[in-house]
Amino acid sequence: MKTALIYAVFGLLWIRFSDLFLDYTINDARVMTTVQTYKGWFFILVTSGLLFLLVRRNLQAQRNSERSLRASNLRLEGMFRVAGSVAFILSRQRAGLHFIEAFSPGAVRMFGLEFSDAGRPVAGLPLPAGLFSIYEGAEGVGGMNELIFRDRAGQDKVVLVRTLVLDPEDDGTEVMLSVALDITERKRMAQRLEAATGMINGILDAVPSIVICLDDAMRVMHWNAAAQLCTGLELARVKGRVLNKAFPLLGGRWKEICGAVAARSSLTLQIRSVRRICVLEEEVTVGREGDAAKVYEVQVFPLPLAEGGAVVRLDDITERMKVQEVLVQTEKIMSVGGLAAGMAHEINNPLGAILQGIQNVRRRLSADLPANLEAAGAVQCDLAALDRYMRHRGIDRMLDGMGEAGKRAAEIVTNMLEFARSADLSHSGVFINQIVDKALSLIDNDYSLDKRYDFRKIRVVREYEDNLPMISCSRIGIEQVLVNLLRNAAQAMYAYEGPAAWVPEIRVRSYESDGCVCIEVQDNGPGMTEAQSRRVFEPFYTTKPSGEGTGLGLSVSHFIITSGHNGSFSVESAPGKGATFRICLPVRAG
């Protein structure tokens, strides 16, 4: 076009200026005609030459374009041939018909096409129907779409399809280039990996221990449900944080933990928390109020991986430590109990001598025995006068008091010996009021110099129902339960500062109800909250200050009543209104 325009301008200029030049230089008409003739032929020759050059140039350009197009087609066909993935060139005409122009060997393998199918309509070809729904809405460079179909072997396949829609041709035909990648195995591996990850996370969540997984920079990668429950933080909030920031409880032993991980050696240590494990709130570590102190066993296991990392496991061993302390305390109590039983047995001997001596003194002073009269006459002593003197001075009352005190001491020693014997839970027929009286008699002399309480300073009110039926139970076991309840009540009331004119009091009731004989031990001490009442029968739970109770008394008592006697054991209490423990034992053994 540019060349033709230049030639047209040149021709106009040639004709115009050549005519002006000839008119100016030639005056002869004949000569003018001849020159004009030669000028026309010259113009024709020049035009022919230019046309020849233009045609030749266009033909050369066309041949170059054809060669380039053939080379491009060969390269495209080669790429299709060597491509491992699925590739298509499809055309869509105005009538809505789709034709497959070319495809790669991957399409042959996946869909069962043949290379002779190139140029045929896709309607009769074994292509998945979902493929065309992707093409229908494709414009320009389409996004990535997943296509699921079933191949000739009946296997489910997943391919990732991306489409490029070219500009429509002059006849309205649209050409689409599409690449599909078979990601079936990748999907399966991802599903298996997801399932394995879910199973591992499920196992970690099922573990009652706190488990924290760390990367090589000691940042949290994962922690289980126990860690979330303990801290109140979901994994998303702490993931990527350094462990001592996400879990401040470990901050005090942070250097040891980092050293063990760096040295690729395991580590076991114990950490005692003043309160519950701290939690993160807006980048600030705080503790939760009202949380009891706990003891944790921390184990650090470096991962045998090139990129490093570690697993930290925390176990709450508070109860285990309490059990160990209880076992030590139990051994001490057993030793002291054995010593006390031995001492009580030895005390019986001098008590027997004292009681026997008092009895002999009274017999030797009696005027009814001939031997006494004979011995008194030998020393000139009037037994009648001596008897009046003793009565006048109250010596006889003193002897009676000494005898009663000795008997009482002997009874206390007997009760201690019986209580110190191994707990025989064999059942026998007993009257419950007798067991209650025996327990009160045993506890009546209970006092503690260390804890500064004395049962003798507590008013005890007995409210027994008469004619209660005999029940089958373990006398020693029920005594143990009642002694424990009475001692707990006494200890609770000692530390309680009641209202004005308050007097510590324990009421013990017995009555029959619904086929059971019931015992109630009620005190007017400080009482308990609802939360404390719910946990009072749990092992190792105690409302006493640290070091003053093991938390096993009521749990053992609950076991004796419920498991050993098929009975019930309950408590009713409120702050400031005392506590009432109720024991119900079936009249007939269940």
Side-chain angles (χ1 to χ4, degrees):
M1 177 62 74
K2 184 177 179 182
T3 304
L5 182 61
I6 294 172
Y7 177 72
V9 173
F10 173 76
L12 291 173
L13 293 174
W14 168 263
I15 294 171
R16 177 61 179 164
F17 286 104
S18 63
D19 287 344
L20 291 174
F21 178 76
L22 291 175
D23 288 340
Y24 180 75
T25 56
I26 300 173
N27 296 322
D28 189 353
R30 247 175 158 177
V31 175
M32 179 64 73
T33 302
T34 303
V35 173
Q36 288 287 358
T37 302
Y38 283 113
K39 186 185 73 169
W41 283 107
F42 176 76
F43 185 77
I44 292 172
L45 289 174
V46 172
T47 302
S48 299
L50 290 174
L51 290 175
F52 174 76
L53 292 175
L54 289 174
V55 171
R56 183 179 177 183
R57 183 179 177 182
N58 288 336
L59 290 175
Q60 185 65 32
Q62 184 177 355
R63 284 194 294 270
N64 291 339
S65 297
E66 290 176 353
R67 283 196 298 269
S68 178
L69 181 60
R70 284 196 299 271
S72 297
N73 288 336
L74 288 174
R75 286 194 293 269
L76 181 59
E77 184 178 356
M79 291 180 63
F80 267 60
R81 295 287 183 179
V82 300
S85 59
V86 180
F88 290 97
I89 298 180
L90 295 100
S91 62
R92 181 171 57 189
Q93 298 181 352
R94 288 182 177 179
L97 297 176
H98 292 79
F99 292 85
I100 185 164
E101 304 294 340
F103 46 86
S104 67
V108 175
R109 291 191 298 270
M110 181 172 291
F111 301 118
L113 297 173
E114 297 180 0
F115 287 109
S116 59
D117 292 330
R120 293 178 54 187
V122 299
L125 300 180
L127 295 174
L131 189 64
F132 303 107
S133 62
I134 296 175
Y135 297 152
E136 289 295 336
E139 294 181 2
V141 180
M144 307 295 286
N145 297 276
E146 283 191 9
L147 175 63
I148 303 175
F149 69 97
R150 181 160 293 183
D151 64 7
R152 293 177 299 170
Q155 299 287 335
D156 288 333
K157 294 286 186 180
V158 183
V159 292
L160 196 62
V161 183
R162 187 165 191 177
T163 303
L164 169 62
V165 180
L166 303 180
D167 293 333
E169 298 179 354
D170 294 338
D171 60 355
T173 301
E174 294 180 350
V175 178
M176 291 166 287
L177 306 179
S178 181
V179 177
L181 181 63
D182 186 357
I183 60 171
T184 306
E185 286 302 318
R186 185 189 306 174
K187 275 286 190 181
R188 290 174 181 170
M189 290 179 63
Q191 290 173 356
R192 287 196 292 267
L193 179 61
E194 185 178 356
T197 303
M199 183 176 66
I200 293 173
N201 291 339
I203 293 173
L204 291 178
D205 289 341
V207 173
S209 305
I210 297 172
V211 180
I212 307 174
C213 301
L214 308 174
D215 61 10
D216 57 340
M218 303 296 287
R219 293 187 297 260
V220 176
M221 293 191 303
H222 180 79
W223 69 13
N224 64 347
Q228 178 177 335
L229 179 64
C230 190
T231 62
L233 295 174
E234 296 181 355
L235 176 62
R237 289 195 60 192
V238 296
K239 191 171 184 179
R241 294 180 182 269
V242 180
L243 178 60
N244 63 336
K245 300 296 183 183
F247 211 78
L249 178 66
L250 299 176
R253 312 296 290 273
W254 182 239
K255 291 184 178 179
E256 295 179 61
I257 296 173
C258 292
V261 174
R264 297 291 183 93
S265 61
S266 59
L267 174 68
T268 301
L269 48 89
Q270 287 186 3
I271 293 180
R272 186 180 297 272
S273 67
V274 178
R275 293 183 294 177
R276 190 177 175 181
I277 293 178
C278 297
V279 299
L280 281 173
E281 289 185 0
E282 302 299 330
E283 304 294 337
V284 179
T285 57
V286 298
R288 291 185 175 180
E289 297 294 339
D291 295 325
K294 292 181 178 292
V295 181
Y296 292 92
E297 182 180 72
V298 183
Q299 294 177 299
V300 182
F301 305 99
L303 297 175
L305 302 175
E307 57 270 21
V311 174
V312 179
R313 171 180 171 180
L314 287 87
D315 291 288
D316 185 354
I317 60 171
T318 309
E319 301 301 329
R320 188 198 309 173
M321 297 294 290
K322 288 183 179 180
V323 170
Q324 292 176 354
E325 294 174 0
V326 168
L327 290 177
V328 173
Q329 188 69 16
T330 301
E331 291 181 359
K332 293 180 180 179
I333 292 174
M334 290 177 63
S335 300
V336 173
L339 179 62
M343 292 177 61
H345 181 73
E346 293 299 326
I347 290 173
N348 263 339
N349 294 329
L351 278 177
I354 291 172
L355 292 175
Q356 186 176 5
I358 293 173
Q359 184 179 8
N360 288 334
V361 168
R362 298 182 71 87
R363 287 176 56 84
R364 295 296 173 90
L365 295 176
S366 176
D368 296 335
L369 297 177
N372 292 343
L373 294 174
E374 182 179 350
V379 296
Q380 298 180 356
C381 176
D382 187 357
L383 289 181
L386 180 61
D387 182 66
R388 290 192 299 272
Y389 172 79
M390 291 179 61
R391 292 179 182 278
H392 181 73
R393 298 293 294 169
I395 296 177
D396 58 338
R397 292 193 301 274
M398 294 180 186
L399 291 176
D400 290 340
M402 292 170 61
E404 291 296 328
K407 291 179 181 179
R408 185 173 179 79
E411 184 179 357
I412 292 173
V413 170
T414 301
N415 289 340
M416 289 179 62
L417 285 173
E418 290 182 357
F419 194 74
R421 291 172 186 166
S422 60
D424 181 12
L425 295 182
S426 59
H427 290 203
S428 59
V430 296
F431 291 103
I432 202 66
N433 290 344
Q434 296 177 354
I435 297 180
V436 175
D437 285 336
K438 189 66 174 293
L440 288 171
S441 175
L442 185 64
I443 200 68
D444 187 45
N445 298 278
D446 187 37
Y447 66 95
S448 172
L449 297 177
D450 294 337
K451 300 169 187 175
R452 293 175 296 174
Y453 77 90
D454 190 348
F455 195 83
R456 292 171 294 186
K457 296 180 180 179
I458 299 173
R459 182 170 61 190
V460 178
V461 179
R462 293 174 171 84
E463 297 178 357
Y464 298 165
E465 184 176 301
D466 296 332
N467 302 320
L468 291 177
M470 179 181 289
I471 62 172
S472 177
C473 68
S474 167
R475 180 176 58 83
I476 298 298
I478 302 302
E479 282 181 10
Q480 178 180 346
V481 173
L482 292 174
V483 167
N484 186 38
L485 290 177
L486 294 168
R487 183 178 288 120
N488 285 349
Q491 293 173 354
M493 286 189 292
Y494 168 76
Y496 177 55
E497 295 181 2
W502 173 78
V503 177
E505 178 183 275
I506 295 178
R507 290 182 177 270
V508 184
R509 303 184 186 91
S510 65
Y511 57 90
E512 184 178 4
S513 175
D514 297 330
C516 295
V517 172
C518 300
I519 310 168
E520 288 185 359
V521 177
Q522 179 182 4
D523 64 73
N524 61 347
M528 295 179 290
T529 64
E530 184 179 355
Q532 291 173 331
S533 299
R534 285 197 302 267
R535 299 189 58 191
V536 73
F537 297 118
E538 293 181 10
F540 308 111
Y541 179 77
T542 178
T543 59
K544 299 175 184 177
S546 178
E548 294 189 12
T550 62
L552 288 175
L554 287 177
S555 64
V556 172
S557 299
H558 188 271
F559 176 81
I560 291 174
I561 297 300
T562 58
S563 298
H565 292 82
N566 198 26
S568 64
F569 199 178
S570 60
V571 60
E572 294 179 3
S573 182
K577 296 184 179 180
T580 302
F581 286 87
R582 183 178 296 105
I583 301 170
C584 292
L585 302 172
V587 175
R588 296 182 180 180

